[in-house]
Amino acid sequence: MLNKIILILFLGIQTLGFAQTTAEEKKEEHKPEIVTFVGILHPIATFTSPENHYNFKDYYVVAFPVGINFWKTHTRGFSFEIVPTIKTENGLSKASNITFHPGFLGRINQNTTYSIRAGFETSGRYGITPILTKILARQDGLSYFASATFPLRTGNNLPISLAPGILVGIAF
């Protein structure tokens, strides 16, 4: 049941987001734009039942998103991201997961975007990831940004979880 709710929520948000075409977009010719990016993601905590887990406490998790954004219009686009994750615990580190992250983009203003991504993890988990991104600085064709991520996951016979994180990166 929860899986169906997540799917309906994801599809509903995307339908509403892409159905909103402003009069400006209709008038203005927009040449499609491609932007690539890399970053470093630090999950803060994982909130789940029966207990929550906190990064930097008993273990350390870091992820390295690499992706490409296809801006169809000035305010709407599609994105695909691959996110390998490394976990260090008890003195051992290993690549622990890879997330395949397709999704849709919306531009709020010149420096702020939102995205909603489907998340498919090699660990067997899946769900949605809402993201809010702010460009902090632009220089020589590069954009330095920070994002707040909110991955909501289910699957693999585990309870639902929410794992907010902070992502910093460079788009070019």
Side-chain angles (χ1 to χ4, degrees):
M1 177 67 172
L2 181 58
N3 300 343
K4 290 179 183 176
I5 292 171
I6 290 173
L7 179 62
I8 291 168
L9 178 65
F10 175 76
L11 294 174
I13 290 170
Q14 294 316 307
T15 302
L16 288 174
F18 275 88
Q20 299 173 347
T21 303
T22 65
E24 271 182 34
E25 284 180 353
K26 288 181 181 176
K27 289 181 202 173
E28 178 184 321
E29 279 292 320
H30 178 78
K31 187 175 181 180
E33 179 183 4
I34 296 175
V35 177
T36 56
F37 62 91
V38 296
I40 298 174
L41 169 65
H42 295 282
I44 298 168
T46 301
F47 301 106
T48 189
S49 177
E51 77 179 285
N52 300 326
H53 303 278
Y54 300 93
N55 203 10
F56 306 103
K57 185 177 177 188
D58 297 323
Y59 59 84
Y60 174 63
V61 174
V62 62
F64 302 93
V66 177
I68 187 165
N69 296 336
F70 301 95
W71 288 97
K72 174 93 170 123
T73 70
H74 181 67
T75 59
R76 303 280 184 249
F78 176 79
S79 181
F80 183 75
E81 176 179 79
I82 296 177
V83 187
T85 303
I86 295 173
K87 183 174 185 178
T88 300
E89 185 174 27
N90 299 325
L92 301 172
S93 64
K94 65 178 182 174
S96 62
N97 194 31
I98 296 176
T99 304
F100 298 93
H101 236 185
F104 296 98
L105 304 167
R107 194 171 269 140
I108 297 170
N109 61 39
Q110 180 73 15
N111 293 318
T112 309
T113 61
Y114 67 90
S115 56
I116 182 99
R117 298 178 183 277
F120 305 99
E121 300 182 0
T122 57
S123 68
R125 306 276 286 164
Y126 60 93
I128 60 171
T129 307
I131 302 168
L132 186 61
T133 301
K134 176 76 173 167
I135 294 176
L136 304 174
R138 296 178 197 268
Q139 181 181 8
D140 298 328
L142 301 175
S143 296
Y144 301 92
F145 65 89
S147 299
T149 67
F150 302 93
L152 183 64
R153 298 291 186 264
T154 189
N156 204 17
N157 208 23
L158 295 170
I160 194 166
S161 65
L162 175 67
I166 300 295
L167 164 65
V168 293
I170 301 171
F172 43 95

